[in-house]
């Protein structure tokens, strides 16, 4: 009996053990299957289809080839989100890495009143010391923050030209942000005035880098005009603006619309400026222009909040009263109207007293006419000397009695107006001032109007006939690069840059030629010039080559000492190559010993740009050097 009870217990225990084992196996299989499914689905959802999942009990085995080490790590992490990370077995491999692409070399440069800062990555081949010295020269004593890193990768072909262009721009722009890479230079800067903005844009357009796009944005603050003035005239010559100012684009459009309705159809040089005395400025100006349109002529001047209307001679009193009355009642609050209906005056047989100031194209100034006393005569001469120069003043004035009150003020105002012209004349009379002449300033008429109103008051009468001449504009009148080279050719046609015998020292009698060339190049702005040296065939070829190189460099040094910007110039010696005459005669050898100035002319290339680049950046010319020789015959001896 006892044996039977023990056996039963053993059988029961074995049965329980077998059941537990079977249950455990089933449980593990279920857990394994669910873990594998969960991990596989997660990997597929996250884009890791290349990975396969196997189960080994409670362990999850990842197999497959990851494209990179980073992707492999992310796949393991994704699996660890579904099961305990300790259960994940990493059997993943990583594909062989391709050659790493070099990083993009780029610099961000910021310059302001507190100094210059640079951050970015530059090629190891960049001359770091030269770059630092150049930045320090540009900073001119201000602090330089250099956060540049160096990458030892091949330097792009266009890197140096892009960087040099950026540094030249940085030198011109004291408040700027410049972004540079091998493909593009983006410049954002602030100028002090619209005139300076034009000068900077012209300078930056002079010498673009080869194969590099540019995006240049230079902003200029709006000028502050005081008094804020618009003057509109309708006379025998037709409707015109002597001065036009607006505070917004909408205000300008409102003013021009009123002028168009009054018969004005030319191009108006209205200035967007600060200083408008009222938000309703354009409304007041438009009403005033419409008023003289109704009168059929006359002059209206709106200066700050003062409106002065002068009707044309012969206007009926009733018409004048109606138009002036309507305008006075319609003007916005704070604007005050004064009006005048001229009456014909008797003409004296002697004519009205006059004072005339003329300025010739050569800069000669003549002052003629009547002055009230010696003091006024001396003041007029001194004032003209301050505006022009003493050696250019010719006095033809005479002292006379009975001149109108305020005559001295009108004389000085006329001299100051003359200084706004490149050439012309100012005629001062008791009731009006006539100004005619030429100028290189597109805003000269407006400036003259504001000046006379400021000096003589709101009711001042004057006639302005000033013509803008582009050739007189110091910016628009700059010679083209081809014209500059042609000027050098003319200067050196009968004169040569000569050197001391067997030397690279420029001879004393050739310094005047170098001075003339330097003056031409200063007016030409930033050009790409090749200074080439040539010799005759006497002597050894290697010696001639070295001597020609030294002489070309000597010319470049001489120009630099005369403050010519030669950063984009190249000096090259060609020795006895390319003779222009026969070396068998002394005359031919003399002709072959020469210096030539050549313009490196860019040739445009078609390059693909993205839509964003096309909007943000200018298309730039990719250049191949070509020479436009401006013979500047050069040396005296080869020996």
């Amino acid at each position: 009996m006892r044996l039977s009870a023990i056996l039963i217990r053993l059988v029961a225990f074995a049965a329980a053990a077998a059941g537990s084992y079977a249950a455990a196996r089933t449980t593990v299989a279920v857990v394994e299957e669910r873990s594998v499914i969960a991990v596989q689905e997660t990997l597929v959802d996250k884009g890791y289809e290349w990975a396969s999942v196997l189960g080994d009990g409670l362990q999850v085995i990842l197999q497959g080839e990851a494209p990179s080490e980073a992707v492999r790590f992310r796949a393991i992490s994704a699996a660890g989100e579904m099961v305990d990370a300790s259960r994940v077995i990493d059997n993943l491999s990583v594909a062989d890495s391709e050659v790493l692409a070099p990083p993009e070399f780029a610099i961000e440069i910021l310059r302001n009143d507190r100094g210059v800062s640079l951050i970015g990555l530059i090629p190891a081949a960049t001359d770091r010391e030269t770059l630092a010295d150049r930045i320090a020269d540009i900073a001119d004593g201000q602090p330089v923050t250099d956060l540049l890193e160096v990458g030892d990768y091949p330097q792009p072909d266009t890197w140096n030209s892009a960087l040099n262009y950026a540094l030249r721009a940085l030198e011109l722009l004291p408040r700027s942000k410049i972004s540079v890479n091998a493909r593009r230079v983006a410049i954002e800067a602030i100028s002090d005035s619209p005139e300076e903005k034009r000068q900077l844009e012209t300078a930056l357009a002079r010498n673009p880098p080869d194969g590099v796009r540019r995006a240049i944005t230079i902003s200029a603050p709006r000028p502050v005009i005081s008094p804020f003035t618009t003057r509109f005239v309708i006379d025998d010559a037709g409707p015109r603006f002597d001065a036009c100012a607006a505070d917004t684009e909408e205000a300008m459009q409102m003013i021009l619309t009123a002028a168009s309705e009054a018969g004005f159809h030319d191009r108006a040089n209205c200035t967007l400026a600060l200083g408008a005395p009222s938000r309703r400025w354009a409304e007041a100006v438009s009403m005033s222009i419409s008023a003289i349109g109704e009168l059929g002529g006359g002059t209206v001047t709106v200066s700050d909040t003062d409106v002065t209307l002068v009707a044309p001679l012969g206007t009926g009193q009733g018409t004048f009263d109606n138009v002036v009355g309507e305008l006075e009642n319609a003007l916005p609050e704070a604007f005050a109207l004064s009006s005048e209906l001229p009456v014909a005056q008797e003409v004296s047989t002697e004519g009205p007293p006059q004072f005339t100031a003329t300025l010739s194209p050569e800069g000669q100034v003549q002052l003629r006419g009547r002055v009230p006393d010696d003091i006024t005569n001396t003041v007029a001469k001194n004032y003209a000397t301050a505006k022009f120069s003493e050696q250019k003043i010719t006095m033809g004035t005479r002292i006379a009695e009975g001149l109108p009150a305020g005559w001295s003020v009108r004389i000085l105002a006329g001299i100051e107006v003359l200084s706004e012209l490149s050439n012309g004349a100012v005629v001062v009379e008791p009731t009006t001032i006539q100004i005619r002449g030429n100028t290189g300033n597109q805003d000269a008429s407006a400036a003259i109007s504001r000046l006379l109103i400021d000096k003589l008051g709101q009711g001042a009468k004057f006639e302005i006939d000033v013509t803008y001449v582009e050739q007189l504009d110091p910016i628009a009148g700059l010679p083209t690069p081809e014209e500059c080279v042609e000027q050098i050719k003319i200067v050196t046609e009968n004169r040569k840059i000569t050197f001391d015998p067997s030397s690279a020292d420029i001879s004393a009698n050739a310094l005047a030629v170098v001075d003339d060339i330097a003056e031409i190049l200063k007016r030409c702005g930033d050009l790409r010039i090749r200074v080439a040296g040539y010799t005759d065939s006497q002597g050894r070829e290697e010696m001639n080559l070295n001597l020609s190189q030294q002489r070309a460099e000597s010319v470049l040094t001489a120009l630099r000492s005369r403050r010519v910007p030669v950063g984009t110039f190249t000096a090259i010696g060609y020795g006895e190559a390319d003779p222009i005459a026969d070396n068998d005669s002394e005359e031919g050898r003399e002709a072959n010993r020469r210096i030539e100035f050549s313009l490196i002319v860019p040739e445009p290339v078609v390059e693909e740009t993205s839509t964003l680049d096309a909007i943000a950046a200018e298309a730039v010319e990719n250049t191949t050097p070509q020479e436009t020789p401006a013979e500047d015959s050069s040396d005296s001896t080869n020996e």
Side-chain angles (χ1 to χ4, degrees), residues 215-516:
I216 301 173
T217 304
I218 300 178
S219 59
R222 290 185 179 181
V224 178
I225 295 178
S226 180
F228 210 76
T229 304
T230 293
R231 179 182 172 94
F232 189 74
V233 180
I234 302 177
D235 56 16
D236 294 340
R240 68 178 184 276
F241 281 99
D242 281 345
C244 180
D247 53 343
T248 65
E249 292 281 359
E250 294 75 14
M252 180 184 295
Q253 190 58 47
M254 183 183 295
I255 293 171
L256 294 180
T257 299
S260 176
E261 293 173 353
F264 177 80
H265 301 297
D266 293 333
R267 179 179 176 274
N269 190 23
C270 285
T271 303
L272 280 175
L274 303 175
S278 168
R279 293 182 179 178
R280 302 184 68 184
W281 162 263
E283 188 179 346
V285 173
S286 300
M287 291 178 180
S288 303
I289 292 174
S290 298
I292 64 167
E294 291 183 42
L295 290 173
T299 301
V300 64
T301 304
V302 185
S303 179
D304 288 338
T305 56
D306 294 319
V307 181
T308 303
L309 185 149
V310 179
L313 189 66
T315 302
Q317 185 67 52
T319 302
F320 176 77
D321 290 342
N322 290 337
V323 172
V324 170
E326 289 179 5
L327 177 61
E328 190 167 18
N329 285 283
L331 281 173
E333 188 176 352
F335 284 86
L337 173 66
S338 61
S339 56
E340 179 182 346
L341 179 58
V343 178
Q345 310 231 343
E346 295 183 6
V347 179
S348 169
T349 56
E350 295 184 1
Q354 283 188 344
F355 176 87
T356 303
T358 60
L359 173 62
S360 72
E362 296 75 26
Q364 299 295 323
V365 177
Q366 293 184 347
L367 304 183
R368 303 184 183 279
R370 306 181 202 180
V371 295
D373 48 49
D374 284 330
I375 294 178
T376 301
N377 198 47
T378 301
V379 170
K381 181 179 180 180
N382 292 341
Y383 195 49
T385 300
K387 289 293 182 182
F388 305 97
S389 62
E390 185 173 3
Q391 67 271 20
K392 296 182 178 181
I393 308 300
T394 300
M395 298 296 293
T397 54
R398 68 183 181 88
I399 298 173
E401 297 180 352
L403 296 175
W407 189 251
S408 299
V409 175
R410 297 174 72 82
I411 288 175
L412 297 180
I415 295 172
E416 187 169 359
V417 164
L418 188 67
S419 67
E420 297 287 337
L421 305 178
S422 297
N423 58 78
V426 176
V427 179
V428 180
E429 295 183 343
T431 59
T432 187
I433 296 180
Q434 301 173 23
I435 304 100
R436 62 181 183 276
N438 300 317
T439 178
N441 177 11
Q442 293 183 352
D443 299 323
S445 293
I448 291 171
S449 297
R450 290 193 296 269
L451 189 154
L452 291 176
I453 290 170
D454 183 49
K455 300 294 184 183
L456 305 180
Q458 308 293 335
K461 297 179 182 179
F462 47 87
E463 299 174 7
I464 301 175
D465 182 12
V466 173
T467 302
Y468 168 72
V469 180
E470 185 175 358
Q471 289 78 5
L472 300 175
D473 192 322
I475 304 303
L478 285 174
T480 65
E482 291 76 14
E483 290 171 340
C484 291
V485 174
E486 185 63 27
Q487 289 176 20
I488 295 175
K489 182 177 180 179
I490 293 171
V491 165
T492 59
E493 188 171 5
N494 298 314
R495 298 186 297 170
K496 298 180 66 174
I497 298 180
T498 56
F499 298 84
D500 293 338
S502 302
S503 167
D505 296 333
I506 299 174
S507 58
N509 59 2
L511 295 179
V513 185
V514 179
D515 290 339
D516 292 343

Side-chain angles (χ1 to χ4, degrees), residues 542-562:
E542 183 179 356
M543 181 190 71
N544 290 338
L545 187 64
N546 291 335
L547 182 60
S548 65
Q549 178 68 38
Q550 293 170 7
R551 289 180 170 179
E553 292 175 353
S554 180
V555 172
L556 199 62
T557 301
L559 293 174
R560 183 184 294 110
S561 68
R562 287 160 175 78

